[in-house]
Amino acid sequence: MSDLETRPEEALCESSGRPGPRADFFPAREVPLGGVRGVTVHRSLPQRDLPTVGAWCFLDHFGSGSPANPEGHDIEPHPHIGLQTVTWPLDGRIRHRDSVGSDVEIWPGQLNLMTSGRGIAHSEYRVPGHTSGHGLQLWIALPGDKVAVAPHFEQHRDLPEFELPGVRGTVLIGALGGVTSPAMAYTPIVGADLRVDAGTDTALPVDPAFEHAVLVIEGALRVEDTEVAPGSLFYLGSDRTEIRLHDTAGAHVLLIGGEPFGEDLVMWWNFVARSHDEIEAARNDWESRDLDRFPDIAGHPPEQRIPAPPLPGLHLKPRKRRIPQP
Ligand code: MN
C-alpha cells in the first residue's frame, strides 16, 4: 500500500514513556487516496494524539475497490524508508513485487513483511481472476540504529497459532499466547489476529511493559470494561498483565502492542525518518531515480511509478501524545 493521500501532512511524533493503563477510543478516519479510482481507506494510525502504539506507526484498513472498479486497484511502484510494512489480507489476493527481487502472491492468513532499511520500492497489483479484497496494512518504525539494515522481504505462510478458551490467535510478529512468530522484529513488539467465539470470557495474558491497542475488524465485544466495535482503535495503554475479552456474539480482532517507541519520528508520505532533511533527501532520491537507493522493480518500465507529492511549505509541528485524562 502506498500513502497516496494527495496532501500528506508532515508530523513530528515525539517520544514518550509508559502511559499506564488507559481505555481511550481513537476513531479511524476516512482518507481519500485520490487518483482516478478514488480509493478510500480507514486509517487508525497515526492519530494526532497517538502517533504510535509500540513501534506501530501506521494502520490502514483498505477495502475492495470502488463502485467503479469493484475488483480493486493496482498500486504502482513507490518507495519506503525507515520502516517495515505488514500486509495482512482478509480476503482476495495481491501480487507483490519489489526492488529486492520479490514477486509473490499475497494470500489471507500469510504475513507479508517488507523491511525497507534505507530504501526499497514495491508495487501491489490485482491478481487476474481475484479481487484485491480487503485487508490491513501496517507500518512498523525501525529504531534509529536499524534504519540502515539491508532491505528484505519475508513471507510467512505458516504462522504460529494459539488457543485459549473461545479465542484462536494467529501471531503475526512477536510473542503471544505462548507462541512466537518467526517474523523479524527490531523492537519489542506484538501483533496478533484474534477470532473470539460467541459467549467467550477469557483473559489474554500480555506483557505489562507493552502498551496495547485493539481494532475490531468484524463483530463486537467487551475489552476489559468497554464495548468495542469496528470504526475506532481502542487504546489500552501499558501496565496490564492481561486483557479480558468477553460479552460477544463473536468478533474478529487485531491486537497490536509494543514497548512505547522511545524516539521522535517524522512521517511524511511513505517515509519514516528522524528529520525533515532525511525526508527531503529520500524524496529527492525517489524523484531523481537514484537506483542505489531505490532500484528498479523487474517487470515495471522505469516511468511506471508514483511520483512523490510536493513537500509541505510549513514548519514541522511536534505531534505529542495527548491522551485524555480520566
Ligand atoms: Mn507501500
Side-chain angles (χ1 to χ4, degrees), residues 1-3 75 78-80 85 114 122 124 137 139 270:
M1 184 65 74
S2 167
D3 183 355
I75 298 173
H78 60 276
H80 288 288
T85 64
M114 186 179 75
H122 73 141
E124 291 156 297
Q137 162 93 184
W139 297 354
N270 295 309

Side-chain angles (χ1 to χ4, degrees), residues 207-283:
D207 187 335
F210 284 13
E211 56 183 347
H212 292 92
V214 161
L215 182 75
V216 173
I217 298 161
E218 199 173 1
L221 79 171
R222 287 183 88 79
V223 179
E224 293 292 320
D225 300 320
T226 306
E227 174 85 8
V228 186
S232 289
L233 187 71
F234 182 58
Y235 178 66
L236 287 148
S238 64
D239 297 276
R240 296 179 185 274
T241 56
E242 58 185 33
I243 296 171
R244 186 178 168 212
L245 308 172
H246 61 119
D247 199 7
T248 180
H252 184 193
V253 170
L254 176 79
L255 174 77
I256 57 173
E259 283 187 7
F261 197 72
E263 298 177 53
D264 297 344
L265 292 176
V266 182
M267 290 179 61
W268 178 81
W269 194 40
N270 295 309
F271 302 143
V272 176
R274 301 296 183 282
S275 70
H276 181 99
D277 289 351
E278 283 177 66
I279 296 277
E280 192 166 35
R283 184 188 182 282

Side-chain angles (χ1 to χ4, degrees), residues 32-111:
L33 296 186
V36 291
R37 300 178 186 93
V39 178
T40 295
V41 299
H42 289 90
R43 183 159 299 163
S44 299
L45 278 179
Q47 295 274 348
R48 181 167 299 280
D49 298 339
L50 185 72
T52 50
V53 175
W56 298 101
C57 61
F58 184 93
L59 170 50
D60 264 3
H61 190 169
F62 58 91
S64 50
S66 63
N69 188 8
E71 291 187 348
H73 56 284
D74 294 333
I75 298 173
E76 301 294 355
H78 60 276
H80 288 288
I81 69 162
L83 55 71
Q84 295 176 288
T85 64
V86 171
T87 307
W88 186 245
L90 299 166
D91 63 34
R93 295 185 187 181
I94 299 166
R95 180 182 182 189
H96 164 97
R97 283 175 281 179
D98 63 37
S99 55
V100 293
S102 314
D103 183 355
V104 297
E105 277 191 21
I106 292 176
W107 293 22
Q110 302 175 352
L111 175 70

